[in-house]
Each structure stands twice: as C-alpha cells, then as structure tokens.
Amino acid sequence: QEKVQQSPESLIVPEGAMVSLNCSFSDSASQSIWWYQQHPGKGPKALISIFSNGNKKEGRLTVYLNRASLHVSLHIKDSQPSDSAVYLCAVKATGGNNKLTFGQGTVLSVIP
Amino acid sequence: DPKIIQKPKYLVAVTGSEKILICEQYLGHNAMYWYRQSAKKPLEFMFSYSYQKLMDNQTASSRFQPQSSKKNHLDLQITALKPDDSATYFCASSRRDRNTLYFGAGTRLSVL
C-alpha cells in the first residue's frame, strides 16, 4: 500500500520568502503526484501535478520530481499571507478510479 | 458559487443512529468520490463512482453505503454510527476517472 510522508509538519516564513515543501512516496510506479492546498473549513484545491521526472513551473509554483529517490518537492516563490494553508501531497496509483493517497500535510504560515 | 454542494455542513449524531450525507456537483463531471478526513489522519479515499457505477470501494465496513440517484448526485449513507466515524467527509468529482479532483467543502460529522 502506498505511503506518503511530508516534511516539515509546519513552517513559518516571512512574506516574500521562498517556501520549500517535501514529500516522499513508496511506489516508484505511481502514475502522478499532486499538490493540494487546503484552507481551514474548506475542501482541498488542486494546485499542480507532475508525472515525469524533472520539474514543472506554473506561476509562483515549481514542483520537482525524482522517481529514483521517490521524492517530490514544491517550491513557492515570493510567498504571500494568502498562501497560509495546509499543503497536501497526494500520489495517484496507476490505473483508473482516481484513488489518491494523501500525506499528513504541511501547515504553512506566511507572516506579513 | 460553489460547484460541489455538500449538505449539511455540520452534523451531530448519537451512537447507533443513521445519517445521510448529501453531495451534488454542477461541474458536468462523470466521476464522483467520497474521501474522509479524521483527526490526526491523512485524507483517506473511500469510494469512487463513474457514470453512476461503483468503481472502487476502500471502506471495510458495509455501514457505509454510497447512493447515486442522479448522474450529478452521490450521497453517503452511514448506519449504526460509532464515535470513530467522527470526521469530515469530503465529496469530490472529476471529468473522468483520471483527471483533476475537485472537492466540496465537506460535512463535519460528530458522533456522540
């Protein structure tokens, strides 16, 4: 069964800082890795996904995937107070059914 | 306007009772899901439906029964409620079973 571990558990940064979040997973055959953002009292919102080794950039977000080391990271450039939320790493298994295995999340606080 | 509506937002139940959690999506998606988020546990996949047919069930207990009366509805019936069932239940949908998941705001269930 897929296991997803995220670090750190929480992070406090000043506004404008670069944020780096880490995620390790157990199955190298996983189809894709997703990052979700969850604000208090809300459902998770998909931010970015990656399938192939390497990196992918979308706006202030960059994600890096290394399948050999079973590691993925999310970097948020020029962080804003509105980025304060829980960030969830999710791994999608091969095959259909869109079953995602989530990590415990990283709580990010961006201080003005 | 929220495109995935979950009702009610909060629900309190007594042990042994039965409740139905409502989910309607107005995104035109063909696949719908239930996930559960318990205290101190990661978000956990429960069920997936595609074109109103059950595709995957990761819930060990038959006390949890999804019900799809319409293409854009996927309700969740929970019988013989236990305190361990206390959690936030999220409904999600996607265009097909391999695409981005969109989550509702959740129903927070407390079983006393």
Side-chain angles (χ1 to χ4, degrees):
Chain A
Q1 186 169 347
E2 180 75 67
K3 292 183 180 179
V4 180
Q5 298 285 340
Q6 291 187 242
S7 64
E9 287 187 10
S10 62
L11 190 58
I12 301 174
V13 300
E15 183 175 355
M18 170 74 85
V19 172
S20 297
L21 308 177
N22 298 297
C23 175
S24 299
F25 53 98
S26 59
D27 184 2
S28 61
S30 297
Q31 186 184 69
S32 57
I33 293 87
W34 292 79
W35 285 93
Y36 280 79
Q37 180 192 57
Q38 186 175 20
H39 284 106
K42 306 286 187 183
K45 175 186 173 184
L47 291 177
I48 191 169
S49 66
I50 190 165
F51 172 74
S52 302
N53 260 339
N55 64 75
K56 179 179 178 182
K57 184 177 179 181
E58 290 185 0
R60 294 188 295 117
L61 306 179
T62 303
V63 60
Y64 294 89
L65 172 60
N66 184 327
R67 286 194 180 275
S69 63
L70 303 177
H71 183 265
V72 62
S73 60
L74 174 68
H75 302 266
I76 305 174
K77 181 182 174 183
D78 188 24
S79 56
Q80 302 295 310
S82 57
D83 294 330
S84 298
V86 177
Y87 288 80
L88 302 171
C89 174
V91 176
K92 184 176 172 185
T94 53
N97 301 332
N98 233 346
K99 176 187 172 186
L100 293 178
T101 301
F102 283 85
Q104 288 271 27
T106 293
V107 181
L108 173 65
S109 299
V110 181
I111 308 301
Chain B
D1 289 336
K3 301 296 185 184
I4 300 179
I5 298 173
Q6 290 191 243
K7 293 183 287 190
K9 190 169 179 65
Y10 301 100
L11 189 54
V12 179
V14 295
T15 299
S17 66
E18 171 183 314
K19 292 294 181 186
I20 296 180
L21 281 54
I22 305 295
C23 178
E24 307 169 6
Q25 57 92 2
Y26 296 94
L27 293 165
H29 290 165
N30 296 312
M32 296 186 71
Y33 314 82
W34 280 101
Y35 279 76
R36 173 172 55 193
Q37 193 169 43
S38 306
K40 300 186 178 181
K41 281 188 176 181
L43 194 60
E44 176 186 26
F45 173 90
M46 298 179 72
F47 300 96
S48 66
Y49 267 66
S50 182
Y51 293 95
Q52 293 186 268
K53 292 184 179 178
L54 179 66
M55 301 302 291
D56 196 357
N57 176 359
Q58 294 293 317
T59 304
S61 173
S62 60
R63 297 186 299 107
F64 295 84
Q65 291 292 328
Q67 300 171 344
S68 181
S69 59
K70 298 179 186 178
K71 178 183 168 185
N72 67 327
H73 281 231
L74 185 65
D75 300 336
L76 181 63
Q77 180 185 39
I78 313 174
T79 58
L81 279 161
K82 303 177 179 181
D84 277 353
D85 297 331
S86 298
T88 300
Y89 291 81
F90 289 100
C91 175
S93 69
S94 64
R95 192 160 58 88
R96 288 181 297 180
D97 63 3
R98 296 174 187 270
N99 296 115
T100 305
L101 279 180
Y102 293 83
F103 284 84
T107 291
R108 186 170 177 177
L109 172 65
S110 297
V111 183
L112 308 176

